[in-house]
Amino acid sequence: MLRRLSADDPRFRRIDFSAGLNLLVASTADGSGDKDSRNGTGKSSMIELLHFLLGARADKRSLPTRKALRKIAFSLELDWPSADGGLLTVTRSGAHPEVVRLSQDVGANEPEHESLFDVDDAGPVDIPASRWTKLLEKELFRLSGTHTGLSGRTMLSFLIRRISSHAFNAPTRTNSQQSEADAATNLAYLLGLDWKLAGGYREISAREATRRQLRQAVNDPVWGRIVGSTAELRGQITIAEEDVRRLEEQIKAFRVVPQYEELKQRADEIDREIRALNSQDSIDRRNLSDLQTAVRDITDSDVRYLEPVYRELGILLGDQVKRRFDDVKDFHRSIIRNRQRYLAEEVESLENRLAERAMRRERLGVELQQVLRTLNDGGALEALTALQQALAQKQASVEALRHRYEAAQTLEASALEIKAKRLDLQRALKDDLDERATQTSEATVLFSEFAQRLYGSGRQAYLEFDAGPSSLRIVPHVDSDDSRGIGNMVIFCFDLTMAVVAHRHGRGPDFLVHDSHLFDGVDDRQLRDALELAAEVAEREGMQYIATLNSDDLEKAQRRGYDASGKTLPVRLDDEYDDGGLFGFRF
Amino acid sequence: MLTPTKGIAPDRSLLAVGAQILQELDSPLTVSQAWARLKTRRSELGHGSPVSFGWFVLALDVLHALGAVEMRDELLMPRRP
């Protein structure tokens, strides 16, 4: 039971709750325009504050972290049977939302064993907000240990629906982002069904989501290379295996040539030698042609020049001439003769040399061919090692491809597997629902009782429990024309059912909170009946029902004979003055 | 022919060529060597006008007539006066 909502800002309107029905009325001051309405008086803010103090996550968008409210520390006093005096106050501020202060230590630190010394746990204690949610799960919902899929926060969102997360769209969902399986798991717990079976859907849908992402990844150009489709991989494996086979054959046929390196050097040498021979040849050939022209040059015509030269000598250098003409002619002849013989010899030697070189070239060519053939046929030891390394790498890559192929196959097969799992789960859940007739009928009977109180006994109203393909389906039915008003009343009845069943069996707390949005557009007779029903049920079950209400809605109900005396809270919110709202100031 | 004329360039006159040969004949040489060395020397000096082997022999003849060169055992010998 919630006792008191307060803040350390004196302007804040403190709200004291009592057992049974509590109506927080927001009134429109006469003369306030339509524009003022009662939005902003703080009805929904109260709901937000309750959540904030009951461990909701606080981010930049949440109300208490807004600039105007950050400094204010809000407090909620609530029943806590295990605490001294049975009451506990929790305090939290928007400035430091990660820490909450408890008025006393209620096992916040969970001593593993009895302490040797009496630890003073009477004083206030600061604990992390996450720890606080754990404590709430234990205290309000009897949840301890690990319970994957169940969350106290989610269940609180059912018991205190928030307009900010569109919790009034459907009875079985508390926000638009929530997965059906998630919501159904928590509802199953509150209604006393097998929540683990219901939670099984979560795993399946998680697996399915993973599968879907992987499938998309296959189509993605980058991720596709990592995942790959079986068809592609099959092709790649074939090619890679072919490579491996080829390499293996190469290695089998490989002949190691022992002096590979020497042979390579020999080949280079031969090559160099042949080239040197060629250049020597070209020099000799030029010399040869020179010599041959020289041989041609020497003719007897030169002798004809000798006489005029000699005569000129006589004329120019008469007494210098030491030889007679015949002498000179002999000298001339001997030179020429020698020269011719000499040239002939030289030509011959040159030609011999050329011929010799040609032969040498021939021999070298043959040798080079042999060496090169040896080099081509065989290889060095290093080459064999390199081949073997390449083979090892290829084999590894084939192995990797095979693994990926298996993964891709699994991925393609997992669709069927998931389908099969889902069918198994559906069957198990269906059997379970049949066997839990007591629990389902308890809830159904309550729901139909509530609905008939509002709409008369002529209406058919029941809860449908069904093992759906993607979650446990809990569908409240009320025969109707499906107007918005009746939709809201279905939520009202469903919440009441859920809260009562959970509280009866100690699986949930004893309070239920409804925002005034729930009563928007509800016919006045139903509104009156709903308020009376809520009060009655709260009384009967020893529970607390808190609702915020617009004053004109209340007037509608009163016109229909609703007696609101003693049921509305003394605090009234109005928008006439700036300080009329919940916080006592506008921001 | 001995001296430069209208038709004979200064570096081709027999006396000039003979002088060039004598400069190469610092020791006994074969005819071929003398011929080869003359050709090298002329190209080094940049004498473009052609000197054929016949012309070279004439220059040797002139040197012989002047008693500056003899032929002994197939070698050309310089004779210093």
Side-chain angles (χ1 to χ4, degrees), chain A residues 150-168:
Chain A
L150 285 187
S151 135
R153 292 290 325 140
T154 308
M155 293 193 257
L156 277 169
S157 306
F158 276 111
L159 295 167
I160 313 177
R161 288 180 188 263
R162 304 160 83 173
I163 188 68
S164 62
S165 49
H166 313 289
F168 295 101

Side-chain angles (χ1 to χ4, degrees), chain A residues 80-324:
Chain A
W80 202 273
S82 64
D84 274 355
L87 288 175
L88 183 70
T89 305
V90 56
T91 307
R92 193 180 182 194
S93 80
H96 300 288
E98 63 283 355
V99 175
V100 303
R101 168 160 297 190
L102 301 184
S103 58
Q104 53 176 287
D105 192 345
V106 284
N109 301 317
E110 286 205 322
E112 294 294 301
H113 41 77
E114 282 302 311
S115 171
L116 287 176
F117 312 102
D118 279 340
V119 181
D120 177 28
D121 58 359
V125 60
D126 285 359
I127 61 165
S130 56
R131 185 83 202 91
W132 173 231
T133 57
K134 284 267 173 287
L135 283 175
L136 282 168
E137 280 178 350
K138 204 167 153 202
E139 187 69 25
L140 301 181
F141 302 101
R142 305 278 181 283
L143 283 176
S144 55
T146 54
H147 38 76
T148 316
L150 285 187
S151 135
R153 292 290 325 140
T154 308
M155 293 193 257
L156 277 169
S157 306
F158 276 111
L159 295 167
I160 313 177
R161 288 180 188 263
R162 304 160 83 173
I163 188 68
S164 62
S165 49
H166 313 289
F168 295 101
N169 292 353
T172 54
R173 298 277 284 279
T174 63
N175 76 59
S176 41
Q177 305 295 317
Q178 196 173 32
S179 81
E180 269 182 70
D182 246 344
T185 307
N186 287 287
L187 279 178
Y189 178 79
L190 289 171
L191 292 170
L193 306 173
D194 190 330
W195 62 271
K196 280 192 175 154
L197 279 178
Y201 283 109
R202 291 174 62 257
E203 285 165 38
I204 288 182
S205 61
R207 273 192 65 183
E208 201 159 33
T210 310
R211 201 189 141 265
R212 213 173 303 124
Q213 282 165 347
L214 276 172
R215 279 236 52 86
Q216 281 168 343
V218 172
N219 300 333
D220 180 281
V222 175
W223 285 104
R225 285 211 297 273
I226 296 169
V227 186
S229 70
T230 48
E232 267 176 32
L233 286 168
R234 214 176 289 129
Q236 286 177 354
I237 288 175
T238 313
I239 291 169
E241 279 174 341
E242 181 60 27
D243 284 350
V244 167
R245 210 180 45 74
R246 236 200 2 258
L247 278 170
E248 276 171 345
E249 272 179 11
Q250 273 183 14
I251 287 175
K252 217 180 291 172
F254 194 91
R255 279 192 308 109
V256 178
V257 175
Q259 288 84 26
Y260 193 85
E261 286 306 313
E262 284 102 327
L263 279 176
K264 238 170 48 180
Q265 278 168 358
R266 179 74 193 120
D268 288 348
E269 263 169 44
I270 294 173
D271 192 46
R272 265 201 306 275
E273 218 169 319
I274 289 176
R275 245 181 290 191
L277 287 179
N278 286 345
S279 61
Q280 285 167 351
D281 265 10
S282 68
I283 292 170
D284 281 352
R285 282 216 181 81
R286 214 178 35 240
N287 287 343
L288 188 60
S289 70
D290 279 357
L291 285 171
Q292 280 160 341
T293 41
V295 171
R296 271 200 306 279
D297 267 356
I298 301 163
T299 56
D300 273 352
S301 65
D302 296 330
V303 183
R304 280 176 297 131
Y305 278 108
L306 193 55
E307 264 182 281
V309 169
Y310 195 78
R311 233 179 296 127
E312 207 172 324
L313 266 173
I315 293 164
L316 274 176
L317 320 157
D319 51 354
Q320 298 292 329
V321 182
K322 299 274 199 292
R323 309 270 177 193
R324 292 197 349 266

Side-chain angles (χ1 to χ4, degrees), chain A residues 18-19 21-23 563-569:
Chain A
S18 55
L21 180 72
N22 295 262
L23 295 179
D563 176 16
S565 58
K567 297 175 180 115
T568 59
L569 292 170

